[in-house]
Amino acid sequence: MKLRFVLIALVLLPAIPVAAQQAKIAPLPVQPSKFIDELRALKAGNPKMSPADLVIEGNKLLDKQGMNFSISLDQATCTKIRDIKQKQTDPNAPVRLSGALKSVEGERANLALPDARVASDECGGCYMEIPLLQITRTDFITILRGINVRFEFPANFSTVRVTMPDEKDPRLIKRSWSIPERLVPIGVSHDENVLYLAFKEPDLGELSLAVFTEGTFELATRAEAEDGGKGQQFPSASPAPGRQVRFIRWGKTFIVSYLEPCGS
């Protein structure tokens, strides 16, 4: 079954021809990225490759495919998805989403979005995985048939966020990052611009994901992420739920708040 909802505006980089946007034969598909699978295959096929060389080759894959981000849907949309699932003969059958998008020029384009998933009780809500190249609070860039496309960030979308609260007043947020899913922070840069995350896949333990406050991200080594020493985790002092990790590096103290991975 399909659930239709309207997204906001889209900016095309480069622009998709108007004829393609208006075609009603089939919506443009948003295909989940295979970046992690291909990165693991690259490492398995080259066991002697150094972490630094794996980062170089892995970033080439990332530039082409983007990385899957778990995009959470608002409560109203989740309620519709759950209602559809309850009425299905097969409760495990996917609920397909389609979005009608409008360009800044006023033209419209239809998208076939990845299947909606209902999260476990530990995480709650529902989500879909969209390959991204960049994400901010106002927009994101995904890939459609090899073309980079920028969308305004819809009000009914949200992502997992990691924040850096002020040391004197935890209610004040100095920095924040959107991350692909609930991953553990393992480092922060001296200028507080880059957050480093650990991969959950054991075979990618020598790597990290560097996420910039500008919304871009790239692979880095684990050693780069832990430059200056490992962080110390402790219960969150912030009003928001979750945990915090303290990094003491270069004579400075950095504290970041995050949600623990589901099932941890």
Side-chain angles (χ1 to χ4, degrees):
M1 299 182 68
K2 290 187 177 182
L3 178 66
R4 295 192 64 84
F5 61 96
V6 177
L7 305 180
I8 322 177
L10 108 88
V11 179
L12 303 177
L13 303 174
I16 296 175
V18 174
Q21 294 185 39
Q22 296 177 340
K24 298 181 180 180
I25 298 176
L28 296 172
V30 179
Q31 300 289 349
S33 170
K34 297 181 180 179
F35 165 67
I36 292 295
D37 291 338
E38 294 194 9
L39 179 62
R40 298 178 71 185
L42 177 64
K43 177 174 172 51
N46 301 272
K48 295 184 179 181
M49 183 181 291
S50 70
D53 288 338
L54 185 58
V55 163
I56 293 173
E57 296 304 315
N59 276 325
K60 294 178 183 178
L61 293 174
L62 185 59
D63 289 342
K64 293 179 180 178
Q65 300 188 26
M67 186 171 183
N68 286 336
F69 269 64
S70 293
I71 304 295
S72 297
L73 305 173
D74 66 359
Q75 185 174 355
T77 306
C78 285
T79 297
K80 293 178 182 178
I81 292 172
R82 292 178 186 275
D83 288 345
I84 289 174
K85 279 190 168 291
Q86 290 178 354
K87 295 175 182 178
Q88 291 179 157
T89 304
D90 179 4
N92 296 319
V95 176
R96 296 183 175 86
L97 304 179
S98 59
L101 291 90
K102 185 171 64 175
S103 75
V104 292
E105 290 83 10
E107 298 169 344
R108 300 179 69 85
N110 294 319
L111 293 186
L113 297 165
D115 296 340
R117 305 180 186 182
V118 177
S120 64
D121 292 338
E122 298 168 277
C123 289
C126 55
Y127 68 99
M128 59 185 170
E129 292 188 340
I130 295 181
L132 299 185
L133 293 168
Q134 183 178 6
I135 180 170
T136 71
R137 286 187 176 275
T138 59
D139 55 46
F140 64 90
I141 299 177
T142 187
I143 304 171
L144 296 176
R145 294 178 177 171
I147 300 175
N148 296 352
V149 185
R150 186 185 297 273
F151 298 89
E152 289 188 8
F153 202 84
N156 57 341
F157 279 12
S158 63
T159 61
V160 178
R161 298 190 69 81
V162 173
T163 60
M164 178 180 287
D166 186 270
E167 294 86 351
K168 297 180 180 179
D169 187 352
R171 294 172 298 178
L172 301 178
I173 302 302
K174 297 195 299 180
R175 300 280 189 277
S176 65
W177 300 266
S178 287
I179 64 174
E181 56 182 296
R182 293 189 180 189
L183 299 175
V184 177
I186 55 173
V188 64
S189 64
H190 183 272
D191 62 2
E192 302 179 353
N193 184 50
V194 185
L195 177 75
Y196 295 92
L197 303 168
F199 284 99
K200 63 183 181 181
E201 295 80 6
D203 51 338
L204 300 181
E206 294 180 312
L207 303 181
S208 65
L209 183 68
V211 184
F212 296 76
T213 53
E214 296 88 350
T216 57
F217 43 90
E218 62 184 30
L219 289 180
T221 64
R222 179 87 180 215
E224 181 180 352
E226 295 179 344
D227 181 27
K230 297 182 180 181
Q232 178 184 5
Q233 296 188 31
F234 57 98
S236 177
S238 170
R243 292 186 63 83
Q244 293 188 326
V245 56
R246 178 187 291 112
F247 301 99
I248 302 176
R249 300 173 171 180
W250 312 291
K252 298 175 63 176
T253 298
F254 309 86
I255 296 177
V256 296
S257 299
Y258 69 99
L259 291 173
E260 292 182 278
C262 296
S264 62

